[in-house]
Amino acid sequence: MNATIKDVAKKAGVAISTVSLVVNHKGHVAKETELKVLRAIKELNYHPQRSARGLVTKQSGNFGFILNGNHFSQAEPFYTKIFLGTEIQARSFDYYILLTTITQNVTPKNIPRFLLERNVDGVILAGSVPHKIVDYLHKNQLPFILIDYYFPERHDSTILTDNAMGIRLVIDHLLELGHRDLAFIGGDMGHPSMQKRCSTFKSYLQQKGAPIEDAKIDCIEEHSGTESGFAATTRLLEKNISISAIVAANDAMAVGALRACRDRKIRIPEEIAITGFDDVESSITARPTLTTVHVPKEEMGAAAVRHLVDVINGRQSEGVRIIMPVKLVARESTLGAIPPG
Amino acid sequence: MNATIKDVAKKAGVAISTVSLVVNHKGHVAKETELKVLRAIKELNYHPQRSARGLVTKQSGNFGFILNGNHFSQAEPFYTKIFLGTEIQARSFDYYILLTTITQNVTPKNIPRFLLERNVDGVILAGSVPHKIVDYLHKNQLPFILIDYYFPERHDSTILTDNAMGIRLVIDHLLELGHRDLAFIGGDMGHPSMQKRCSTFKSYLQQKGAPIEDAKIDCIEEHSGTESGFAATTRLLEKNISISAIVAANDAMAVGALRACRDRKIRIPEEIAITGFDDVESSITARPTLTTVHVPKEEMGAAAVRHLVDVINGRQSEGVRIIMPVKLVARESTLGAIPPG
DNA sequence: TATAGTAATCGAAACGTTTCGACATTATTT
DNA sequence: AAATAATGTCGAAACGTTTCGATTACTATA
């Protein structure tokens, strides 16, 4: 039904191998011959078939994207953006993305099928991901890169956000606004990003000579969603200690904090200012809009793809650690309502 | 490096073809032989290679997912959920999804590459999608199915939401609450779902004997996002006509309506009730929470995949129209604040 | 008992590419 | 003018599967 390289060769009156050379821009082909071949290709609407090509080159033209299923349902917008970033960048390099979500507890044999069947040329892993999979990739020498996660004891290629910088920006912003009693809420402390945000909060505040009390830090929540933010904030408020601003470990928790305050008729930011982290959609749909740290999510996905492509082409070796810059986005939850007009 | 079928054959002491028969559960293989082969497979950790298999079977083990790029950035949560639904269901059938976003105006030659390279066994198209692509699929006899979109003049396999039922549920709900002056805001009227929601609003209201005035229907917005909802609502409110409830064509527009009312200090739902459609995340994070029509997004994706699988296996022919049921989710934007505790 | 059918296994062809080495021709260097 | 290098083209092997007869050995049917 569909034209093959053979048909093209016949129509152009050349050998199959010559067509291949033209298609792949390899070797020395006379201008004239090339034209003949190109014309035949166009006329027959020929496109090389992936599987045939892959059989000999051992390249699939795909990247795998592995995502913790919990993440995708919970912190959806964050990882969706990253995924979108990979998709677009991958397309520009003529790759496709095979997405799969995995459950946290990988049973012995649920390595994603695309790995077993060697149907990907590289793998992107976003968020917390089982050690076992990374081991598998390592053993099979498949290029891979982690996004927003890492194993402290290993030296994998990784893309991280500048969590420390983000927290510093937030603190500077709040201090500048005159806040003195800062609190911190976090959760999911198994995640290195969360840990970093929390630890930076403490260390930087100390460095700034601001008072820092453990009572104002609540990081015991297991997850880091809206409910967790709500719960943590409620606990803080019930302590009846002086708090003028709450720094949340991410936007979802900040929204929870917003809600907890709202329930108690606490005015934001007049009585308590609140900040988030990530700059996902909800930070702008929330009322008041959320002051937060912008994380370049799409760019992180794109950078991951570029790295894989570079590794495959031997232009870069594995083991790099890319730290993406962040910036502060000041909105109503610290500045107050922007006067209309 | 990796074991091939040859290695398995040698280790098991049988012919290559016998191994193939075992792997594919075909033909008559003696129990004993089968066991030998299976043991060899396990020992060598053998998995058939996709591209080699695909070369001869002409099956890729992939489905394509084509999405209008605008949709994915604008109405992200809606289509993300659908995509997620396809992914999970596809995995259960041992398929993978290749996602690609396309720009609305398909230039002559930007047919997704996975189609040209015959790298998918079927295609799912979500949201408004160019006619040209559907033509291509038809011509190449690739099974495909549309989600939340259709061409009136064609009979493609399609998965739709019960838009008419949704609007009827909303209207019944509002009438029951005693509302009489219902308004409607919509946008993106090129989309059949939007059209249906609007037309049902008119016809059902009429059927119910309720007053229906064109002045209370605003569907001129080009898009259907938050800003459009804001703009449409503003226009309605400035007319200074009596409105007790606003039915929005989707959640995003409803959120815009919420905001427009909030800006004018209109209390919701005491002065004006507002309803959405789709039941995406924002309808629950919005304040007040949004009464809306729940659309089973994941299920729609899953159903699409099942249909493709059925078509491929000859169990079903193309051209079906599946209408997914919807249900009303009543929340604060019509009922008022739920008293705590 | 001869014949047809079925079970079990195998070898070889085929799928559509890329790539390697061979060969002829032409250009460049000595 | 001879030797070498570069250019242009090609045929054939290889990639790892599935599938299609062919072959043999049984088993059931006429």
Side-chain angles (χ1 to χ4, degrees):
Chain A
M1 181 94 220
N2 264 310
T4 76
I5 198 172
K6 218 167 168 177
D7 304 324
V8 176
K10 188 182 286 177
K11 173 150 238 162
V14 300
I16 287 181
S17 43
T18 305
V19 177
S20 179
L21 292 179
V22 171
V23 169
N24 297 294
H25 312 104
K26 275 187 184 170
H28 315 275
V29 179
K31 258 277 167 289
E32 194 183 358
T33 319
E34 185 178 9
L35 268 155
K36 272 194 303 187
V37 171
L38 288 177
R39 206 173 313 126
I41 286 179
K42 181 144 288 175
E43 279 177 40
L44 295 171
N45 192 27
Y46 165 74
H47 289 270
Q49 200 167 300
R50 249 271 114 75
S51 28
R53 175 179 269 189
L55 183 55
V56 28
T57 62
K58 265 93 178 63
Q59 302 256 301
S60 66
N62 302 324
F63 287 139
F65 190 105
I66 298 183
L67 187 54
N68 181 312
N70 294 335
H71 283 1
F72 207 30
S73 27
Q74 280 184 33
E76 180 190 318
F78 188 77
Y79 290 103
T80 304
K81 290 275 193 236
I82 292 179
F83 176 73
L84 196 58
T86 63
E87 202 281 318
I88 290 171
Q89 183 76 128
R91 189 137 40 94
S92 84
F93 285 112
D94 266 11
Y95 278 92
Y96 279 107
I97 304 282
L98 296 185
L99 172 85
T100 195
T101 54
I102 53 172
T103 62
Q104 184 57 282
N105 46 349
V106 198
T107 64
K109 275 292 94 169
N110 63 357
I111 302 284
R113 200 168 44 86
F114 59 54
L115 296 182
L116 298 172
E117 296 180 345
R118 271 139 293 161
N119 201 14
V120 294
D121 305 335
V123 179
I124 296 158
L125 306 107
S128 114
V129 99
H131 205 289
K132 188 167 289 178
I133 301 239
V134 176
D135 279 346
Y136 181 93
L137 293 171
H138 213 258
K139 200 178 308 161
N140 288 64
Q141 307 202 50
L142 257 177
F144 69 97
I145 185 165
L146 302 170
I147 300 185
D148 192 36
Y149 196 70
Y150 66 92
F151 300 96
E153 75 277 16
R154 308 180 45 112
H155 288 283
D156 307 314
S157 295
T158 313
I159 297 194
L160 298 169
T161 48
D162 198 338
N163 291 304
M165 174 62 79
I167 293 296
R168 277 186 251 125
L169 289 172
V170 163
I171 291 181
D172 284 343
H173 174 69
L174 290 171
L175 293 180
E176 244 168 64
L177 289 174
H179 291 279
R180 284 300 167 267
D181 292 312
L182 308 194
F184 185 90
I185 57 173
D188 187 18
M189 280 296 140
H191 196 300
S193 278
M194 290 298 169
Q195 246 173 43
K196 188 74 182 176
R197 290 174 193 181
C198 180
S199 65
T200 304
F201 178 82
K202 295 189 215 172
S203 62
Y204 190 64
L205 220 47
Q206 198 150 40
Q207 179 186 329
K208 281 295 204 175
I212 155 170
E213 302 160 49
D214 281 349
K216 290 184 182 161
I217 296 179
D218 187 309
C219 291
I220 61 178
E221 286 291 320
E222 191 181 349
H223 296 295
S224 56
T226 310
E227 300 74 17
S228 302
F230 186 92
T233 305
T234 303
R235 274 194 297 275
L236 284 181
L237 295 177
E238 280 174 352
K239 287 183 183 166
N240 258 323
I241 48 184
S242 153
I243 290 176
S244 79
I246 297 176
V247 176
N250 67 15
D251 286 348
M253 293 195 76
V255 169
L258 233 43
R259 215 159 283 170
C261 290
R262 183 173 169 278
D263 281 5
R264 294 160 186 264
K265 311 269 184 231
I266 297 173
R267 282 172 307 140
I268 297 165
E270 291 81 0
E271 299 175 67
I272 292 186
I274 292 179
T275 66
F277 206 118
D278 286 350
D279 196 22
V280 296
E281 199 66 13
S282 69
S283 73
I284 187 137
T285 57
R287 289 297 114 130
T289 56
L290 210 53
T291 292
T292 189
V293 176
H294 177 76
V295 173
K297 298 165 283 294
E298 283 97 337
E299 284 87 340
M300 291 171 73
V305 168
R306 282 197 301 274
H307 176 256
L308 287 182
V309 170
D310 282 349
V311 168
I312 287 172
N313 295 335
R315 259 181 280 131
Q316 176 155 32
S317 55
E318 289 187 86
V320 301
R321 236 190 183 68
I322 302 176
I323 311 239
M324 303 296 276
V326 298
K327 61 175 195 251
L328 186 84
V329 186
R331 300 208 185 92
E332 298 169 355
S333 71
T334 58
L335 298 180
I338 317 297
Chain B
M1 181 94 220
N2 264 311
T4 74
I5 199 172
K6 217 167 168 178
D7 304 324
V8 176
K10 187 181 288 178
K11 173 151 238 162
V14 300
I16 287 180
S17 42
T18 305
V19 176
S20 179
L21 292 178
V22 171
V23 170
N24 296 294
H25 311 103
K26 275 186 185 171
H28 313 277
V29 179
K31 258 279 166 285
E32 193 184 359
T33 319
E34 185 178 10
L35 267 155
K36 274 195 300 185
V37 171
L38 288 178
R39 207 173 312 127
I41 287 179
K42 182 143 288 176
E43 278 176 40
L44 294 172
N45 192 27
Y46 166 73
H47 289 269
Q49 199 167 299
R50 252 290 153 214
S51 27
R53 175 179 269 190
L55 182 55
V56 30
T57 62
K58 264 94 179 62
Q59 300 256 304
S60 65
N62 302 324
F63 287 138
F65 190 105
I66 299 182
L67 187 54
N68 182 312
N70 294 333
H71 282 3
F72 207 30
S73 26
Q74 280 184 34
E76 180 190 317
F78 188 76
Y79 290 103
T80 303
K81 289 275 193 238
I82 292 179
F83 175 74
L84 196 59
T86 63
E87 202 281 319
I88 290 171
Q89 184 76 120
R91 188 138 40 93
S92 84
F93 286 112
D94 264 10
Y95 279 91
Y96 279 106
I97 304 281
L98 296 185
L99 171 86
T100 194
T101 55
I102 54 173
T103 61
Q104 183 57 282
N105 46 349
V106 198
T107 63
K109 276 292 94 171
N110 63 357
I111 301 285
R113 200 168 45 84
F114 59 54
L115 296 182
L116 298 172
E117 296 180 344
R118 271 137 293 162
N119 201 15
V120 294
D121 304 335
V123 180
I124 296 157
L125 306 106
S128 115
V129 98
H131 205 290
K132 188 167 290 178
I133 300 237
V134 177
D135 279 347
Y136 181 93
L137 293 170
H138 214 258
K139 200 178 308 161
N140 289 63
Q141 307 203 50
L142 256 178
F144 69 97
I145 184 165
L146 302 171
I147 299 185
D148 192 37
Y149 196 71
Y150 65 93
F151 299 97
E153 74 277 17
R154 309 180 44 114
H155 289 284
D156 306 314
S157 295
T158 312
I159 296 194
L160 298 169
T161 48
D162 199 339
N163 291 304
M165 174 62 79
I167 292 296
R168 277 186 250 124
L169 290 172
V170 163
I171 291 182
D172 284 343
H173 174 69
L174 291 171
L175 293 180
E176 246 168 62
L177 289 174
H179 290 279
R180 283 300 167 269
D181 291 313
L182 308 193
F184 185 89
I185 57 173
D188 187 18
M189 280 296 140
H191 197 299
S193 278
M194 290 298 168
Q195 246 173 44
K196 188 74 183 176
R197 291 174 192 182
C198 179
S199 65
T200 304
F201 177 82
K202 294 189 215 173
S203 62
Y204 189 64
L205 219 49
Q206 198 150 40
Q207 179 185 328
K208 282 296 204 173
I212 155 169
E213 301 159 50
D214 281 348
K216 290 184 181 160
I217 296 179
D218 187 309
C219 291
I220 61 178
E221 287 293 319
E222 191 182 348
H223 297 294
S224 56
T226 310
E227 300 75 17
S228 302
F230 186 93
T233 306
T234 304
R235 273 194 299 275
L236 283 181
L237 295 176
E238 279 174 354
K239 286 181 182 166
N240 257 323
I241 49 184
S242 154
I243 290 176
S244 79
I246 298 177
V247 176
N250 66 16
D251 287 346
M253 294 195 75
V255 169
L258 233 44
R259 215 159 285 170
C261 290
R262 184 174 169 278
D263 281 5
R264 294 160 186 265
K265 310 267 186 234
I266 297 172
R267 281 172 306 140
I268 297 165
E270 291 80 2
E271 299 175 69
I272 292 186
I274 291 179
T275 66
F277 206 118
D278 286 350
D279 195 22
V280 296
E281 199 66 14
S282 69
S283 72
I284 188 138
T285 57
R287 290 298 113 128
T289 56
L290 210 52
T291 292
T292 188
V293 176
H294 178 76
V295 173
K297 299 165 283 293
E298 282 97 337
E299 285 87 339
M300 291 172 74
V305 168
R306 282 196 301 273
H307 177 256
L308 288 182
V309 170
D310 282 350
V311 168
I312 287 173
N313 295 334
R315 258 181 280 129
Q316 177 156 31
S317 56
E318 290 187 87
V320 302
R321 236 189 184 66
I322 302 175
I323 311 238
M324 302 297 276
V326 297
K327 62 174 196 251
L328 186 84
V329 185
R331 300 208 186 92
E332 298 169 356
S333 70
T334 58
L335 299 180
I338 317 297

